[in-house]
Amino acid sequence: MDTKYEFNKLTKRLRSAVGKAIHDYTMLEANDKVMVCLSGGKDSYTLLDILIGLQKIAPIPFELIAVNLDQGQPGFPKEVLPNYLNNLKIKYKIIEEDTYSTVKRVIAEGKTTCGLCSRLRRGILYRVAKELGATKIALGHHRDDILETLFLNMFYAGKLKGMPPKLVSDDGNNIIIRPLAYCTEKDIIQYALTKQFPIIPCNLCGTQPNLQRQVIKEMLEGWSNRFPGRIESMFRSMQNVIPSHLMDNKHYSFSTLKTTGIATESGDIAFDKEIFPTQLINDVL
């Protein structure tokens, strides 16, 4: 097997997926200044690398600036990211804010630190985006993250809510984009390994066991192994929502429903048997 050939295919697949996501959700506009949040993990390295490649061939001009938040974690290798980014000859900014001490002080030992850590990090990055004049904030969440978030909200929060490819931030001041929305974690892992990115592990929360997201991840991996194609089908369903066939009367006016006398494919078929592909039926059984 030609390793170089396989890597070229992988690169093309990732670039194509990112380009399609950017197009489908109008993530970038001419002269955008995109703040790429670089954590030192495989996802954000891949995001930056793919965006640099696309920037060279994009039909519109846009600027990239990589931003890393040094949260004061003990043993954090401060030289890794500056060395890497200097070699890329790309604009970047390293922010030093000791959120680590805050999290350790506030959260009891053994408890999940992710929530507070995320809120602190988010506030700082929003502030920096404003200081830099960034028009978009790019995050490295991929397809698996998005699907996991959907199930996390269903199982633990009772909401049909995912992680959108593009949305206004909770402070109302920033546009958040996720260009890796169509990319699989499997492809990203392989890309990062081949490119030999200098990965920086998170020793604050990344190694905590029994996190709810890990439970969901293992569930989805199990389904994917047993039923090939199920993950892809579930992901497509997030792009094919039919509010009239759910139960949220805030998003569909059930109270004002009236007959029209006109047949429609979206009408109720309560007296018919739902027909699904044979493979899906076998999966259930």
Side-chain angles (χ1 to χ4, degrees), residues 59-106:
I60 58 171
F62 61 90
E63 183 181 346
L64 296 173
I65 178 167
V67 171
N68 170 258
L69 172 59
D70 178 350
Q71 298 178 265
Q73 296 175 350
F76 184 80
K78 293 180 179 292
E79 74 287 347
V80 170
L81 286 173
N83 289 345
Y84 176 77
L85 294 167
N86 282 327
N87 286 333
L88 285 182
K89 295 180 171 56
I90 183 176
K91 292 181 180 178
Y92 71 89
K93 183 177 181 65
I94 308 292
I95 308 111
E96 296 187 4
E97 295 272 358
D98 186 7
T99 63
Y100 178 87
S101 296
T102 302
V103 171
K104 297 301 283 185
R105 184 181 71 253
V106 173

Side-chain angles (χ1 to χ4, degrees), residues 31-50:
N31 302 311
D32 263 340
K33 186 171 186 178
V34 184
M35 186 178 103
V36 183
C37 296
L38 190 64
S39 67
K42 66 182 186 340
D43 303 330
S44 59
Y45 273 124
T46 299
L47 172 63
L48 179 62
D49 199 69
I50 296 295

